[in-house]
Structures are given as C-alpha cells and as structure tokens.
C-alpha cells in the first residue's frame, strides 16, 4: 500500500515539461557560450594591439595612453546621459502609473515605447541636423554666465557637436528602457501600502515617497544600469553627433571633445590595418570588460535591495 502511495505522490514528469526545461537550459548555455566566444575572440585578436607602436596608435606612446581618453569619454557621455534620462524617465513612469488618467497614460506609454523602435542612426541625424544648431544659443549663454565652471568654459562650439549634445541624444535613447521597467515596478506596488499611507493623511507625493519609491528601489537601480549599458555601447548616434579629438577634458560645450570607444572603432576600423586594427579590437575588449563590471555591480546592488531581503 505504501509503495502505491509513493508512486502516486511522485508522478513522472511529462514530456512537455522535460522538453521545455531542456530548451531553457540550452538557451542559457548558448548565451554563456556566445559570451565566452566574444571574450576569447577579443582577447586573442586584441592581444597584439596591447604592444602596438606609436604609428599604430595615432601618435600615442603606448596602448594605455591611447585607450585612456576613450574610456574617459565613454564613461563621461554615459554618466551624463544617465543623469539626464533617469529623472525624466522616473517622472514619466510615475505619471503613467499614478497621476495621468488611464486613457492618457496608455497613449503616453505607447509613445515612450515607440522611442525604443527608432534606429540609432536617426537619433544621430536628428542630433546633428536639429538639436546641435538649436542648442548653440544655450551654449553661448552658459559660456557667458557660468563660464567660470570647468564644465562650461569657452570657447563654445558654433556647431553644437559637443559631448553634451551627444549625451542628450543618448539620454533620449535610454529613456524608453528606464521608463518601461520602472513603470511596471511602480504599478506592482501593493495597493494596501498605498492606501495605508493615504489613510494616515499622506498627500499623493508623500504616498509615492513612502510606499512606491522604496518598493521599486531595486527596479530603479536595475533600470538605470540597463540604460547605462545601452549608453556605454552606443555607436552610430555618438559617431554622427560628436566632433571628437581623443582628448581628456571636462569642458562639455567646446568643439574639443573626448571620443568614446564604440564611436572610435566605428569611425576608424575600416581604414585600420595590421596592428592598428588589433589595437581597436583591444579597445573593444576594454569596453567589454567595463560593461561586464557595470552589469555585475548592478546585479549585486539589485540583490542587496530586493524587497524582503535581510540587510
């Protein structure tokens, strides 16, 4: 009798469950293999570039002095884009989830999601054809009134093709990602928490600050880090907008701008040969490592602030 109960309590797994579990496991392994393949390729092809000479590094003495300004420009553009995009994305997400009427919120959500479908080259063309010329008066004002700050020291760019313009374009590309994730997180906030805050006399903003934002903290961090990953690896928009000089400077409105790793590869790879091409691949390896570190740190932060996790 007991044997029959044990058999009844542990039925065989269905064929569909076995197929599905094996397919998902294979998909996960495929991603790992692809990631390892990319890393191995970059390491193998980029290794000769680490010892490249001055003639292959565009006048730089060694690979470190060659890649350092590119790393600086990559991080500067990505961080500026994140500083612009995250507050706007959070505002849009809160407006959709807690303030706007349902019909209007649905339309706004569709429009924001539509921004993610626009090709990066279109953003780049818009940046050099529309945003750049239109933002020059702002740069002139910044140079005149707050030029004592190193970020806005003159002379300002007459074309608008600056690191700040590129960062604004990147911010527009990041907003749909951050908005979509944070919107879903905010809408999953327990209704009882919101009603409890309102019942205690909290205003709408106080309810959001006390109930919604703490609940969605891990989601906000993960969304911001995903947006940062997008900004770090963006190529065409930055290559089209930025007038790069491969220097290290904090001036955001000048015509002398640091380049980014991705834009530098896109602009010079077709003309590079021999060890110069290996140096470009090595810079791609540096970007690969930076992106991996950012994602790893994001995962650690998200795990640290997951709801219900013991601190």
């Amino acid at each position: 009798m007991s044997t029959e109960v044990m058999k009844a309590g542990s039925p065989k797994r269905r064929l569909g469950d076995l197929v599905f579990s094996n397919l998902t496991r294979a998909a996960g392994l495929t991603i790992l293999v692809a990631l390892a393949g990319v890393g191995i390729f970059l390491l193998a092809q980029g290794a000769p570039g680490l010892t490249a000479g001055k003639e292959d590094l565009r006048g730089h003495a060694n690979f470190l002095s060659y890649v350092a300004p590119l790393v600086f420009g990559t991080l500067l553009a990505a961080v500026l884009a994140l500083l612009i995009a995250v507050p706007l994305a959070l505002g849009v997400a809160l407006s959709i989830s807690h303030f706007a009427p349902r019909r209007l919120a649905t339309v706004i959500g569709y429009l924001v999601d539509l921004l993610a479908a626009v090709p990066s080259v279109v953003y780049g063309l818009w940046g050099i054809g529309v945003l750049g010329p239109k933002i020059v008066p702002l740069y002139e004002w910044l140079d005149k009134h707050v030029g004592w700050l190193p970020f806005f020291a003159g002379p300002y760019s007459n074309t608008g093709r600056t690191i700040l313009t590129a960062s604004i374009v990147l911010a527009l590309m990041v907003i749909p990602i951050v908005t979509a994730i944070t919107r879903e997180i905010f809408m999953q906030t327990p209704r009882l928490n919101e009603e409890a805050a309102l019942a205690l006399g909290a205003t709408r903003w106080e309810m959001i600050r006390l109930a919604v934002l703490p609940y969605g903290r891990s989601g906000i961090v993960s969304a911001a880090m995903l947006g940062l990953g997008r900004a770090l690896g963006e190529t065409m928009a930055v290559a089209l907008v930025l007038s790069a000089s491969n220097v290290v400077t904090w001036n955001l409105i000048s015509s002398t701008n640091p380049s980014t790793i991705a834009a530098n590869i896109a602009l010079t790879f077709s003309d590079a040969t021999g060890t110069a091409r290996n140096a470009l691949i090595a810079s791609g390896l540096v970007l690969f490592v930076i992106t991996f570190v950012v994602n790893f740190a994001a995962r650690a932060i998200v795990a640290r602030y997951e709801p219900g996790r013991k601190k």
Side-chain angles (χ1 to χ4, degrees), residues 74-158:
T74 300
L75 296 177
L76 179 61
V79 171
L80 286 174
L82 212 62
L83 291 175
I84 297 171
V86 171
L88 290 175
L90 292 180
V92 174
L94 286 173
S95 176
I96 294 173
S97 61
H98 286 83
F99 286 97
R102 183 53 48 198
R103 291 185 178 180
L104 180 59
T106 302
V107 174
I108 296 175
Y110 287 152
L111 292 177
V112 173
D113 293 339
L114 186 62
L115 290 175
V118 179
S120 60
V121 66
V122 175
Y123 280 107
L125 292 174
W126 174 79
I128 61 175
V130 179
L131 180 61
K134 295 292 184 182
I135 207 171
V136 169
L138 174 61
Y139 291 163
E140 182 180 3
W141 185 91
L142 291 172
D143 182 17
K144 182 178 180 181
H145 293 87
V146 290
W148 49 272
L149 290 174
F151 304 108
F152 308 118
Y156 66 91
S157 172
N158 291 320

Side-chain angles (χ1 to χ4, degrees), residues 277-300:
R277 177 167 293 189
N278 294 123
L280 290 176
I281 297 176
S283 66
L285 176 62
V286 174
L287 180 60
F288 181 82
V289 173
I290 292 174
T291 306
F292 179 81
V293 171
V294 168
N295 289 332
F296 183 81
R299 184 58 189 168

